[in-house]
Amino acid sequence: QQQVKQSPQSLIVQKGGISIINCAYENTAFDYFPWYQQFPGKGPALLIAIRPDVSEKKEGRFTISFNKSAKQFSLHIMDSQPGDSATYFCAATSGGYQKVTFGTGTKLQVIP
Amino acid sequence: EAQVTQNPRYLITVTGKKLTVTCSQNMNHEYMSWYRQDPGLGLRQIYYSMNVEVTDKGDVPEGYKVSRKEKRNFPLILESPSPNQTSLYFCASSFGQGPNQPQHFGDGTRLSIL
């Protein structure tokens, strides 16, 4: 049973467009919500993260929107670039941030 | 250079032959963790360790063992590998665990068990 549901599975966006990836969770014990970016042949790398008491966090072109009541959060990539083409994973932590549950991933392709 | 090193990077082996995947970090991190990545399932946490001699189960610990005898090393042991353990494995570490403590991942170990 996937505790963090991620959609879409794949996404194609034109250069300069906005990429949006959505995640939903059921476990109210989750206490931190990071997003990871993974390039082929590499391990994931932390992109941006948000605490559940914050509704939005922005870092450069990347923004997390968090809706605690709906138990949903999303990643927005503004002005998407071909270099953003990668697989993106949402995640949620619990147990004092020790246990990490990942979504199933979204493969993003930004076309010129 | 700060890094998490996994060995081997690739391994093809047979059912039942014990194997160990090593993980070493040079950042003096306290927290280390193992994940497996499978298509359509994302990454799933196998085991994690908060410090030397402190380990706990993640979501998919069955068929795996770990040990943390030294701070820098966190080997993953498959005592009797089976084909359903064919996967891409990642080790990660962080200074602590919590906000503003990003996990650093290795480049992965691809295991094929025939």
Side-chain angles (χ1 to χ4, degrees):
Chain A
Q1 182 181 359
Q2 198 71 30
Q3 290 195 52
V4 178
K5 295 184 178 180
Q6 183 171 347
S7 63
Q9 187 175 346
S10 62
L11 183 61
I12 299 175
V13 173
Q14 291 270 2
K15 178 182 175 182
I18 302 173
S19 303
I20 302 174
I21 303 170
N22 300 299
C23 286
Y25 65 96
E26 289 296 325
N27 187 353
T28 55
F30 286 144
D31 48 22
Y32 187 56
F33 299 86
W35 284 86
Y36 286 84
Q37 180 187 55
Q38 184 181 31
F39 293 105
K42 294 294 185 181
L46 180 67
L47 185 64
I48 186 173
I50 196 167
R51 297 168 64 147
D53 55 347
V54 176
S55 60
E56 184 175 282
K57 184 173 182 181
K58 184 176 181 180
E59 290 184 1
R61 296 183 295 108
F62 301 92
T63 300
I64 301 177
S65 297
F66 189 84
N67 186 330
K68 190 172 182 178
S69 61
K71 290 186 280 188
Q72 296 175 346
F73 58 110
S74 60
L75 176 70
H76 291 64
I77 306 174
M78 311 299 287
D79 188 26
S80 299
Q81 299 296 313
D84 297 330
S85 297
T87 299
Y88 292 82
F89 293 96
C90 61
T93 70
S94 59
Y97 312 111
Q98 295 181 41
K99 293 194 71 172
V100 187
T101 301
F102 282 83
T104 51
T106 296
K107 187 172 183 178
L108 171 65
Q109 184 181 359
V110 181
I111 55 177
Chain B
E1 179 187 354
Q3 58 187 4
V4 177
T5 303
Q6 296 178 225
N7 279 296
R9 293 291 315 279
Y10 304 91
L11 178 64
I12 301 174
T13 187
V14 295
T15 300
K17 186 177 181 181
K18 180 179 178 179
L19 68 92
T20 299
V21 184
T22 64
C23 175
S24 180
Q25 49 91 7
N26 62 359
M27 296 167 278
N28 200 34
H29 284 169
E30 293 184 345
Y31 180 91
M32 297 186 75
S33 186
W34 275 103
Y35 300 88
R36 60 179 288 175
Q37 183 175 5
D38 301 288
L41 296 176
L43 291 97
R44 293 178 292 168
Q45 192 173 33
I46 303 171
Y47 271 95
Y48 59 92
S49 169
M50 281 302 295
N51 213 324
V52 175
E53 303 291 4
V54 181
T55 64
D56 207 346
K57 296 177 181 178
D59 289 328
V60 289
E62 297 79 17
Y64 304 96
K65 285 177 60 177
V66 293
S67 68
R68 188 92 181 272
K69 294 185 176 8
E70 305 169 279
K71 199 172 186 179
R72 63 183 293 127
N73 296 323
F74 190 43
L76 180 69
I77 303 158
L78 284 71
E79 293 265 359
S80 183
S82 62
N84 65 11
Q85 293 178 299
T86 292
S87 187
L88 178 59
Y89 291 85
F90 287 101
C91 178
S93 73
S94 61
F95 186 72
Q97 190 59 5
N100 303 317
Q101 298 288 353
Q103 289 194 68
H104 298 258
F105 282 77
D107 284 338
T109 294
R110 188 167 290 281
L111 287 183
S112 294
I113 300 164
L114 306 177

